[in-house]
Amino acid sequence: MAGMSTVAFIGLGIMGAPMAKHLVDAGHDVLGVNRSREPVERFVEAGGRDGGTVAEAVADADVVITMLPDSPDVTAVALGADGIYANAKKGALHIDCSTIRPDTARELAEAGASAGIRVVDAPVSGGEAGAKEAALSIMVGGSDDDVAAARPLLEKVGKTIVHVGPPGSGQTVKAANQLIVAGTLELVAEAIVFLEAHGVATEAALEVLGGGLAGSTVLARKGAGMLVREFSPGFRVDLHHKDLGIVTAAARERGVAIPLGAHVAQLVAALRAQGHGDLDHSALLKLVEQLSGRG
Amino acid sequence: MAGMSTVAFIGLGIMGAPMAKHLVDAGHDVLGVNRSREPVERFVEAGGRDGGTVAEAVADADVVITMLPDSPDVTAVALGADGIYANAKKGALHIDCSTIRPDTARELAEAGASAGIRVVDAPVSGGEAGAKEAALSIMVGGSDDDVAAARPLLEKVGKTIVHVGPPGSGQTVKAANQLIVAGTLELVAEAIVFLEAHGVATEAALEVLGGGLAGSTVLARKGAGMLVREFSPGFRVDLHHKDLGIVTAAARERGVAIPLGAHVAQLVAALRAQGHGDLDHSALLKLVEQLSGRG
Amino acid sequence: MAGMSTVAFIGLGIMGAPMAKHLVDAGHDVLGVNRSREPVERFVEAGGRDGGTVAEAVADADVVITMLPDSPDVTAVALGADGIYANAKKGALHIDCSTIRPDTARELAEAGASAGIRVVDAPVSGGEAGAKEAALSIMVGGSDDDVAAARPLLEKVGKTIVHVGPPGSGQTVKAANQLIVAGTLELVAEAIVFLEAHGVATEAALEVLGGGLAGSTVLARKGAGMLVREFSPGFRVDLHHKDLGIVTAAARERGVAIPLGAHVAQLVAALRAQGHGDLDHSALLKLVEQLSGRG
Amino acid sequence: MAGMSTVAFIGLGIMGAPMAKHLVDAGHDVLGVNRSREPVERFVEAGGRDGGTVAEAVADADVVITMLPDSPDVTAVALGADGIYANAKKGALHIDCSTIRPDTARELAEAGASAGIRVVDAPVSGGEAGAKEAALSIMVGGSDDDVAAARPLLEKVGKTIVHVGPPGSGQTVKAANQLIVAGTLELVAEAIVFLEAHGVATEAALEVLGGGLAGSTVLARKGAGMLVREFSPGFRVDLHHKDLGIVTAAARERGVAIPLGAHVAQLVAALRAQGHGDLDHSALLKLVEQLSGRG
């Protein structure tokens, strides 16, 4: 797998499109597949190939990468008569970069094994910017051999690629990631509204906060946008809501208390219920403002 | 104030001692004052001078720096017959690096003005490590002139020095800092216990979390210690509890909703009520474990 | 259905046993069914009949009542070749008094309709005491006719029987009931620990609290036991945990914010994770004590 | 004190006016005092006497009752040259029915003792309706003798009068009362919005909830009004916000964890910050609706 591979890339959305492009740029033969046609056409213009249907695209692929919204999407594409596992070559490698339920990831790994397909879960963190800059952080679950096989490709789209355990582990770490990210966004939002209410110079304040123990990637990447109420995604509230459903269910299953995690899950759900599901998740600030009778 | 100054440094604790030492190293004439004698003796061995009482130390000082635990401590040292404002030279500069209530900071600035003393609030973030490495983040409140006068000295102890507004503003930003830090510690604690409960390789997981949107200074500096349950301070739970009292009161005063901030304030209060006030604030992990019936 | 009926009663647990007995006392012919034998034998001693298997018991029954722990239990007993719907007479009435998911209740109603069985969901509130005293509050979902048919029997086991809507509605109201009950228990627990910490005469305090706007059935029935740390069930933490899973899922599904409900669900989950699943739900007091470093 | 007394009643507001009237009706000689004149005039029409200033009214009084908004109001009226303790007869009894800080109540009891005045704290629960119907629940702190002396008068305005401990204890119990009441209102609000979102017949649902373990005085007195969004006070959000400040401070002082109490305090603060301070506290429902994107 160290040389050039034939890669079927399924899901050319905000994240998938730049990731697939990086693989093209690295010299791989990449067949793009997407439910709607337009992203495929843009991908072809960018140097990729039109993969046709899932079954067609995976037939000759060494590697199949999926980047899809939710657990049922991945299951639908992987299983079934027209799916990856029924149509890919024996020994092909399926790298699922979607964020899905850890138990679904484990089920896919088992279904893949039965069909002779090697499966790795490799969800990513870093957002649209990270995808464009090939600077994603990737948390990988799978066997040592399979993860080793996936690594050269993942290194083309990410900067920090870490093997965190057996199949499903990547999704578990991604769930923890989403808990921390949602909570940090909310904390930064509360801090900003607090500072504004006290008449402090907020831009200067964020600079100094970033330099101390309160510093975070969220603050660095999202803080300035939050100050000017720029909430175009980025990462949509709807998707973060889905992910918080995954983490709260997984915590409940093992009896882990996540008091702040569960709390911010309610706030994200409220933001979505108010019709802001299409905004960037940093729009949690809107809710803090509303609760504070401001803005 | 650009040249070498005579500095009275009051409060030679975990934070104050290394800060005072940096000023000595920079060539200033520094008179150390502390309630107990031993820190003064260590300071003299390190090249400082024994300042005697507050009144004696401030008599000839160009600058008085205070680094004390709480609002009443600073008030006691600043006001009163034996205090700074009654005994310092007219035009002397008082830089308060303690973390205290913003309204107390404003009151001190007014009392100082009446006594001909210039007052700046300059609380710091970065912890013991930041103090030792002269890498503190310092949030400064005061008039333009007074902050400009303080800056050369602050640059000897910190890396990010930002003027955030009029007197009291430094304390307001520090309050926001403490809200974010407590919340982030709790989020990281929840994530770690969650990952452990799911059998994930936590060291690898923290590495990859740190590389994505979940990354933070808290995770980078405290994560490894939390994994091995190393909770020697650092920054004590008792002090963070005090600081969260400041931020919740200041939020309430302006009608700002801080749902996660108020929530984590309860958790820090619980940790303290359980007798863990002397541990590092990262010991919030103990509470998450306890609530999860683990460890 | 106004006269004497043949009733198959499935599930002779803490709640089911006294309920079935009330029906016997009212003159009905009641066939008891239970997974383990001992409760059936006690029921026979109390004047009931041994119903044998589910299939046997329901064969001649006019009414089938189920009182089982969770959604899968009811589904297993209702559906399948040996279940209620395959073996009961056309036109028989199935009253499910279990607390299960509203969507499962709706699915059962549909499956029943296909099989010619009339289905009513009729979960109860009032606990073991309410069951023994035939003083249960019963929230009934179903068609007007079916609920009218069920009412004479329900009146033998409950005091407040209210038709709240179509199939599933009873379960929805029961979910709301469990949200309020868990939250009220926690509030009373917080109040008690608060009063004890301040050295107030707690017995007198609960009396006066009960007489004002803070009065509740929880306080009246559980307060005294909480004061003396008597936590034998009653209603087990495990079951309330299950029910809070139902209400949080149902709230999430419709985008309803339940900030206190979600918060207390975390506390109940923590109590369970700590190994207290078999205690009465009023044992939330233990958690408040623990968090307060007391007891 | 069993016979007819001369009573100075200070504070003829929503609660105070009907309470003073009950004392008149019981045959006492009651001198009314109020900051604004109109309530005094109405009180005179109702059979009371115009007490003039505080100093004048208390000069000949056997008993002085205060019913005022907040701690500073009571302190102002009790202490100082024109206040109760400087002008009342030695041995007079001061019954403070206001809801104030427990520590302020203890300070007043000490100040009273120095001045030869007996002081009892006797805050009430039951709202405007309870005051009008002389059905208040009254939590009394003070010495045995003083509480015994106060009881005959308190029995004219309340139904449940309980001595809960030494001076200040009444206020501590009232603080616990306000914690429970705010939390219960929020729980009922969440339940109502949840039921509405699921299309359940809410009036019927509240009836059946009231009959089971979820029943409460809040549900019985406020539920129907909440269903029709009738939020005229009753008890104002502003006042409940003040009271939650008292209870959170008192809990913090003793290290008592009140997770739900602190949470609902944030929600009440948010409701107030949004400009709803003058609505009845049951308007917490508005916030739940808003968070749920409804109404």
Side-chain angles (χ1 to χ4, degrees):
Chain A
M1 208 76 51
M4 291 307 105
S5 312
T6 300
V7 179
F9 201 109
I10 305 171
L12 300 170
I14 290 180
M15 298 294 290
M19 291 168 69
K21 180 65 166 59
H22 291 307
L23 297 176
V24 170
D25 294 348
H28 296 287
D29 178 24
V30 187
L31 296 99
V33 180
N34 200 71
R35 198 183 309 209
S36 61
R37 286 298 304 164
E38 204 201 323
V40 178
E41 286 157 16
R42 276 203 303 268
F43 181 61
V44 170
E45 283 166 32
R49 278 211 286 152
D50 180 346
T53 67
V54 169
E56 291 165 0
V58 306
D60 296 316
D62 306 306
V63 180
V64 181
I65 299 179
T66 42
M67 190 50 162
L68 298 166
D70 202 352
S71 305
D73 304 299
V74 181
T75 302
V77 158
L79 311 177
D82 299 329
I84 300 169
Y85 300 170
N87 295 284
K89 296 188 293 190
K90 298 288 166 202
L93 178 68
H94 174 206
I95 306 174
D96 180 30
C97 293
S98 320
T99 294
I100 65 171
R101 300 169 51 99
D103 52 0
T104 303
R106 282 189 295 271
E107 289 162 16
L108 287 174
E110 284 167 27
S114 302
I117 308 296
R118 304 147 70 195
V119 182
V120 157
D121 52 301
V124 309
S125 179
E128 189 181 2
K132 286 187 172 160
E133 300 159 18
L136 293 168
S137 200
I138 313 186
M139 30 219 88
V140 194
S143 74
D144 286 351
D145 283 356
D146 295 349
V147 173
R151 186 176 292 276
L153 283 166
L154 294 175
E155 284 173 346
K156 301 296 181 221
V157 298
K159 198 167 63 183
T160 310
I161 291 94
V162 184
H163 183 195
V164 293
S169 302
Q171 297 299 348
T172 300
V173 177
K174 180 64 191 286
N177 185 83
Q178 296 302 76
L179 183 164
I180 294 177
V181 170
T184 309
L185 280 163
E186 171 66 18
L187 292 167
V188 170
E190 294 179 12
I192 287 174
V193 177
F194 174 86
L195 291 167
E196 291 177 345
H198 282 84
V200 167
T202 45
E203 231 173 307
L206 291 203
E207 183 196 345
V208 71
L209 288 171
L213 197 47
S216 65
T217 309
V218 161
L219 183 58
R221 288 216 195 140
K222 301 278 181 178
M226 291 165 86
L227 283 187
V228 298
R229 276 59 173 166
E230 164 57 44
F231 300 129
S232 61
F235 191 71
R236 288 192 301 118
V237 167
D238 272 346
L239 286 172
H240 214 143
H241 175 70
K242 175 209 66 155
D243 293 350
L244 293 171
I246 291 173
V247 69
T248 48
R252 182 177 169 89
E253 181 203 324
R254 298 287 164 101
V256 177
I258 50 165
L260 286 212
H263 198 151
V264 75
Q266 284 285 312
L267 298 173
V268 170
L271 191 61
R272 182 172 178 263
Q274 294 185 359
H276 300 309
D278 283 329
L279 296 185
D280 187 67
H281 48 174
S282 58
L284 275 166
L285 182 83
K286 290 177 74 75
L287 203 63
V288 177
E289 274 191 304
Q290 183 189 58
L291 287 169
S292 306
R294 301 172 68 88
Chain B
M1 208 74 54
M4 291 306 106
S5 313
T6 299
V7 179
F9 202 110
I10 304 171
L12 300 169
I14 290 179
M15 299 294 290
M19 292 168 69
K21 179 66 167 54
H22 290 309
L23 296 177
V24 171
D25 294 348
H28 296 287
D29 178 23
V30 187
L31 296 99
V33 181
N34 200 70
R35 196 183 312 208
S36 60
R37 287 296 305 163
E38 206 201 322
V40 177
E41 286 157 16
R42 276 202 304 272
F43 181 59
V44 170
E45 282 165 32
R49 278 211 285 153
D50 179 346
T53 66
V54 168
E56 291 164 0
V58 306
D60 294 318
D62 306 306
V63 179
V64 181
I65 300 181
T66 42
M67 189 51 161
L68 297 166
D70 202 353
S71 306
D73 304 298
V74 182
T75 303
V77 158
L79 311 178
D82 300 328
I84 300 168
Y85 299 171
N87 295 283
K89 296 187 291 191
K90 298 289 167 202
L93 178 68
H94 175 205
I95 306 174
D96 180 31
C97 292
S98 321
T99 294
I100 65 170
R101 301 169 52 100
D103 51 1
T104 303
R106 283 191 292 271
E107 289 161 17
L108 287 173
E110 284 166 28
S114 302
I117 309 295
R118 304 145 71 195
V119 182
V120 157
D121 52 303
V124 308
S125 180
E128 189 181 0
K132 285 186 173 161
E133 300 159 18
L136 294 168
S137 202
I138 312 185
M139 29 219 87
V140 195
S143 74
D144 286 351
D145 283 355
D146 295 348
V147 172
R151 187 177 291 274
L153 284 166
L154 294 175
E155 283 174 348
K156 300 298 180 220
V157 298
K159 199 167 62 182
T160 311
I161 291 93
V162 184
H163 183 194
V164 292
S169 301
Q171 297 299 349
T172 300
V173 177
K174 179 64 190 288
N177 184 83
Q178 295 304 75
L179 183 164
I180 294 177
V181 170
T184 309
L185 280 164
E186 171 66 18
L187 292 167
V188 170
E190 294 179 11
I192 287 175
V193 177
F194 174 86
L195 291 168
E196 291 177 346
H198 282 84
V200 166
T202 44
E203 231 172 308
L206 291 203
E207 183 196 344
V208 71
L209 288 171
L213 197 47
S216 65
T217 309
V218 161
L219 182 59
R221 289 216 194 141
K222 302 277 182 178
M226 291 165 86
L227 283 187
V228 297
R229 277 56 175 168
E230 164 56 44
F231 300 130
S232 60
F235 190 71
R236 290 192 302 117
V237 168
D238 272 345
L239 285 171
H240 214 142
H241 174 71
K242 175 209 66 158
D243 293 349
L244 293 171
I246 291 172
V247 68
T248 48
R252 182 176 169 89
E253 181 204 324
R254 297 288 164 101
V256 177
I258 50 166
L260 286 212
H263 198 152
V264 76
Q266 284 284 312
L267 298 173
V268 171
L271 191 61
R272 181 170 178 265
Q274 293 185 359
H276 299 310
D278 282 329
L279 296 184
D280 187 68
H281 49 174
S282 58
L284 276 165
L285 183 82
K286 290 176 75 74
L287 202 64
V288 177
E289 273 192 304
Q290 184 190 59
L291 287 169
S292 306
R294 301 173 68 88
Chain C
M1 210 74 52
M4 291 308 105
S5 313
T6 298
V7 179
F9 200 110
I10 304 170
L12 300 169
I14 290 179
M15 300 295 289
M19 291 168 70
K21 180 65 166 58
H22 291 309
L23 297 176
V24 172
D25 293 348
H28 295 287
D29 178 24
V30 186
L31 295 100
V33 180
N34 200 72
R35 196 183 310 208
S36 61
R37 286 297 303 163
E38 206 200 322
V40 178
E41 285 157 17
R42 275 203 304 269
F43 181 59
V44 170
E45 282 165 32
R49 277 211 286 153
D50 180 345
T53 66
V54 168
E56 291 166 359
V58 306
D60 295 318
D62 305 306
V63 179
V64 181
I65 299 180
T66 42
M67 188 52 160
L68 298 165
D70 202 351
S71 306
D73 305 298
V74 181
T75 303
V77 159
L79 311 177
D82 299 329
I84 299 168
Y85 300 171
N87 295 283
K89 297 186 293 191
K90 299 284 167 206
L93 178 68
H94 175 205
I95 307 174
D96 180 29
C97 293
S98 320
T99 294
I100 64 170
R101 300 168 51 98
D103 51 0
T104 303
R106 282 190 293 271
E107 289 162 16
L108 287 174
E110 284 166 28
S114 301
I117 309 295
R118 304 146 70 193
V119 183
V120 157
D121 52 302
V124 309
S125 178
E128 189 181 2
K132 284 185 171 160
E133 298 159 19
L136 294 168
S137 201
I138 312 185
M139 29 219 87
V140 194
S143 74
D144 287 352
D145 283 356
D146 295 349
V147 173
R151 185 176 293 277
L153 283 165
L154 294 175
E155 285 174 346
K156 300 298 181 221
V157 299
K159 200 166 63 183
T160 311
I161 291 92
V162 183
H163 184 195
V164 292
S169 302
Q171 297 298 350
T172 300
V173 177
K174 180 63 191 287
N177 185 83
Q178 294 304 75
L179 183 164
I180 294 177
V181 170
T184 309
L185 280 163
E186 171 66 18
L187 292 166
V188 170
E190 294 179 11
I192 287 175
V193 176
F194 174 86
L195 291 168
E196 291 177 347
H198 283 84
V200 166
T202 44
E203 233 173 305
L206 291 204
E207 184 196 344
V208 70
L209 288 171
L213 197 47
S216 65
T217 309
V218 161
L219 182 60
R221 289 215 193 141
K222 302 277 182 180
M226 291 165 86
L227 283 187
V228 298
R229 276 55 174 170
E230 164 56 44
F231 300 130
S232 60
F235 189 72
R236 290 191 301 118
V237 167
D238 273 346
L239 286 171
H240 214 142
H241 175 70
K242 176 209 62 156
D243 293 350
L244 293 172
I246 292 172
V247 69
T248 48
R252 181 176 169 89
E253 182 203 324
R254 298 288 164 99
V256 177
I258 50 166
L260 286 211
H263 197 153
V264 76
Q266 283 285 312
L267 298 173
V268 171
L271 191 61
R272 181 171 178 265
Q274 295 186 358
H276 299 310
D278 283 329
L279 296 184
D280 187 67
H281 49 174
S282 58
L284 276 165
L285 183 81
K286 289 177 76 73
L287 203 63
V288 177
E289 273 192 303
Q290 184 190 58
L291 288 169
S292 306
R294 302 172 67 88
Chain D
M1 207 76 53
M4 292 306 106
S5 313
T6 300
V7 179
F9 202 109
I10 304 170
L12 300 170
I14 291 180
M15 299 294 290
M19 291 168 70
K21 180 66 166 58
H22 291 309
L23 297 177
V24 170
D25 293 349
H28 295 287
D29 178 25
V30 187
L31 295 99
V33 180
N34 201 70
R35 196 182 311 207
S36 61
R37 286 297 304 163
E38 204 200 324
V40 178
E41 285 157 18
R42 277 203 303 270
F43 181 60
V44 169
E45 281 166 33
R49 278 212 284 153
D50 180 346
T53 67
V54 169
E56 291 164 359
V58 305
D60 295 317
D62 306 306
V63 180
V64 181
I65 299 180
T66 43
M67 189 51 163
L68 298 165
D70 202 352
S71 305
D73 305 298
V74 181
T75 302
V77 159
L79 311 177
D82 299 329
I84 300 169
Y85 299 171
N87 295 283
K89 296 187 292 190
K90 298 288 166 203
L93 178 68
H94 174 206
I95 306 174
D96 179 31
C97 292
S98 320
T99 294
I100 63 170
R101 300 169 51 101
D103 51 1
T104 303
R106 282 190 294 271
E107 289 161 16
L108 287 174
E110 284 166 29
S114 302
I117 308 295
R118 303 146 72 195
V119 181
V120 157
D121 52 302
V124 309
S125 178
E128 188 180 2
K132 284 186 174 161
E133 299 160 18
L136 294 167
S137 201
I138 312 185
M139 29 220 88
V140 194
S143 74
D144 287 351
D145 283 356
D146 295 349
V147 173
R151 187 176 293 275
L153 283 166
L154 293 175
E155 284 173 347
K156 301 297 180 220
V157 298
K159 200 166 64 182
T160 310
I161 291 94
V162 184
H163 183 195
V164 292
S169 302
Q171 296 299 349
T172 300
V173 177
K174 181 64 191 288
N177 184 85
Q178 295 303 75
L179 182 164
I180 295 177
V181 169
T184 309
L185 281 163
E186 171 66 18
L187 292 166
V188 170
E190 294 179 11
I192 287 174
V193 177
F194 174 86
L195 292 167
E196 291 177 346
H198 282 84
V200 166
T202 44
E203 230 171 311
L206 291 203
E207 183 196 345
V208 71
L209 288 171
L213 197 46
S216 66
T217 309
V218 160
L219 182 59
R221 289 216 194 140
K222 301 277 181 177
M226 290 165 87
L227 283 188
V228 297
R229 276 55 175 169
E230 164 56 44
F231 300 130
S232 60
F235 189 72
R236 289 191 302 118
V237 167
D238 273 346
L239 285 171
H240 214 142
H241 175 70
K242 175 208 66 156
D243 294 350
L244 292 171
I246 291 172
V247 70
T248 48
R252 181 176 170 88
E253 180 204 324
R254 297 288 165 100
V256 176
I258 51 166
L260 286 212
H263 198 152
V264 75
Q266 284 284 313
L267 298 173
V268 170
L271 191 60
R272 182 171 178 265
Q274 293 185 358
H276 299 309
D278 282 330
L279 295 185
D280 187 67
H281 48 173
S282 58
L284 276 166
L285 183 81
K286 290 177 75 75
L287 202 63
V288 177
E289 273 191 305
Q290 184 190 56
L291 287 169
S292 305
R294 301 173 67 87

